[in-house]
Amino acid sequence: MIDINGSSGEGGGQIVRTAVALSAVTGEPVRITRIREMRPNPGLSPQHSTAISALAKISDARTEGVRPGSREVLFSPGRVRGGVYDFEIGTAGSVSLLIHCLLPALARADGPATLTVRGGTDVRWSPTIDHLSRVALPAFASFGVRARLTVERRGYFPRGGGLVTLETVPGELVRADLSAPVAGAVEGVSHSSNLPEHVVRRQAEAAIGVLRRAGFDAEIAAEARALPSTGSGITLWSGWKGGSALGERGLPAERVGSLAAEELVAQLASKAAVDRHLADQLVPYLALAGGSYTAPEVTSHASTNIWTASRFLDRVISVEEGDPATFRAGL
Ligand SMILES: Nc1ncnc2c1ncn2[C@@H]1O[C@H](COP(=O)(O)OP(=O)(O)OP(=O)(O)O)[C@@H](O)[C@H]1O
């Protein structure tokens, strides 16, 4: 049994997701205490407890303390099974974070899996669904993760109701070295639901303006829909780097487009291979398969994720700070 102090480092939800994910992959039971102790709303949020319950279902795990508000969780996994699963995250919780939590286990399952996940696809403080499908999954694929994601319908805060299908095929994870950025054009999607058509156009035009001034051409798809939830956003990507922003009342569409483009331009200015978010999201795969990658910086999410992974796996991850910073894990 591995004991994890959930208030270590960043002390957020990611320690919990990474700990249960690696527990399911290694078969090593884990007890996580002091969960999100320093957050204004301590303990598990509904989003976290849904992720743990979903992973428990896939890995036939025995659990204790998995409910919103809980500060201590026990997770004792069985065998990870492929199959057909249907998960619903209430309160527009992030579909992407749920998938980040399940993916290491699904990659090592006893067969292919098809998941439908309902919840929020473009919500704050989490990867947009396009960051997951266009930036993270291609990078995970370099480590041998075979997954295909289809966005059937977006879901915005607070109503959610997004619908995503994930198909995975298990296999051996393989060492990868992502040391230089992938050269490629900037692509993107500007999207909205139940808002005037000009919102997606203005978001995209503002983004293109910022990107042009920085020397990048971009092709941005426009997606204006009428869905159960209302909202807007834009995600831009190039290789293993992304930038995104979400609309909100009072925030002009031009500002939303510029914010996403400025984020991507800042990431592209670095010689690093991956963006600052992907750098923490890749840690479980680096720890499982070995290899290396470069990132613009070492965030506290990244160092906390390395610490969590080191509790489950012997492979030592070393980090050289700088821009680019190098993350490396031996054979
Ligand atoms: N704009 C973004 N693009 C891509 N990834 C993002 C973005 N914003 C956040 N993330 C990623 O989402 C994850 C958030 O982890 P974090 O622990 O903060 O989540 P949480 O479960 O909401 O926890 P808490 O509420 O305790 O902070 C990290 O992997 C982070 O890199």
Side-chain angles (χ1 to χ4, degrees):
M1 167 83 69
I2 293 174
D3 271 299
I4 297 273
N5 175 347
S7 71
S8 311
E10 173 67 24
Q14 191 176 49
I15 296 189
V16 181
R17 283 190 302 273
T18 303
V20 292
L22 291 178
S23 166
V25 174
T26 59
E28 195 63 57
V30 64
R31 184 198 318 276
I32 314 164
T33 54
R34 302 175 66 181
I35 293 173
R36 300 180 71 255
E37 191 176 74
M38 304 304 283
R39 293 289 194 264
N41 52 343
L44 297 177
S45 76
Q47 183 240 115
H48 305 122
S49 57
T50 308
I52 304 170
S53 302
L55 184 63
K57 188 151 189 210
I58 285 174
S59 64
D60 202 16
R62 187 175 70 79
T63 63
E64 285 173 23
V66 183
R67 58 182 169 273
S70 171
R71 298 193 192 195
E72 185 169 328
V73 160
L74 177 96
F75 187 90
S76 182
R79 177 152 164 218
V80 182
R81 292 190 189 280
V84 177
Y85 298 96
D86 201 343
F87 297 119
E88 162 120 39
I89 324 168
T91 68
S94 165
V95 168
S96 309
L97 289 182
L98 177 88
I99 291 175
H100 273 293
C101 178
L102 304 185
L103 210 46
L106 291 170
R108 306 294 295 127
D110 66 358
T114 301
L115 271 64
T116 49
V117 186
R118 284 160 227 269
T121 58
D122 293 86
V123 290
R124 254 162 246 301
W125 318 119
S126 60
T128 63
I129 202 72
D130 303 294
H131 184 278
L132 174 62
S133 69
R134 303 303 191 134
V135 180
L137 289 185
F140 297 169
S142 308
F143 286 86
V145 176
R146 292 196 278 167
R148 188 167 62 192
L149 187 116
T150 313
V151 182
E152 318 282 352
R153 187 167 73 219
R154 290 180 192 273
Y156 302 93
F157 182 82
R159 189 139 177 212
L163 178 60
V164 164
T165 307
L166 179 77
E167 292 160 281
T168 57
V169 178
E172 275 306 310
L173 293 180
V174 293
R175 181 195 162 92
D177 294 283
L178 316 179
S179 53
V182 181
V186 173
E187 292 176 73
V189 56
S190 174
H191 51 87
S192 74
S193 166
N194 303 319
L195 295 174
E197 195 110 7
H198 59 75
V199 169
V200 287
R201 189 171 35 77
R202 285 162 55 211
Q203 287 178 166
E205 282 172 2
I208 285 171
V210 171
L211 289 163
R212 278 229 176 98
R213 284 192 288 283
F216 301 102
D217 277 333
E219 199 150 310
I220 302 177
E223 213 187 275
R225 301 270 147 83
L227 304 169
S229 63
T230 296
S232 77
I234 179 166
T235 301
L236 306 166
W237 60 89
S238 173
W240 296 311
K241 295 180 179 179
S244 63
L246 299 174
E248 60 183 80
R249 203 163 282 175
L251 190 65
E254 288 76 12
R255 189 81 193 107
V256 177
S258 308
L259 281 171
E262 284 159 10
E263 187 189 357
L264 181 62
V265 167
Q267 298 301 304
L268 291 174
S270 165
K271 289 196 172 59
V274 314
D275 74 32
R276 62 193 296 276
H277 295 297
L278 186 52
D280 75 65
Q281 295 158 7
L282 277 169
V283 166
Y285 304 101
L286 185 65
L288 286 165
S292 65
Y293 53 86
T294 53
E297 60 182 302
V298 184
T299 62
S300 81
H301 274 99
S303 38
T304 306
N305 236 11
I306 291 173
W307 174 82
T308 310
S310 73
R311 304 299 311 278
F312 290 87
L313 298 158
D314 293 334
R315 204 186 300 274
V316 176
I317 299 182
S318 65
V319 179
E320 247 169 71
E321 300 255 6
D323 180 12
T326 305
F327 293 62
R328 204 174 272 120
L331 284 173

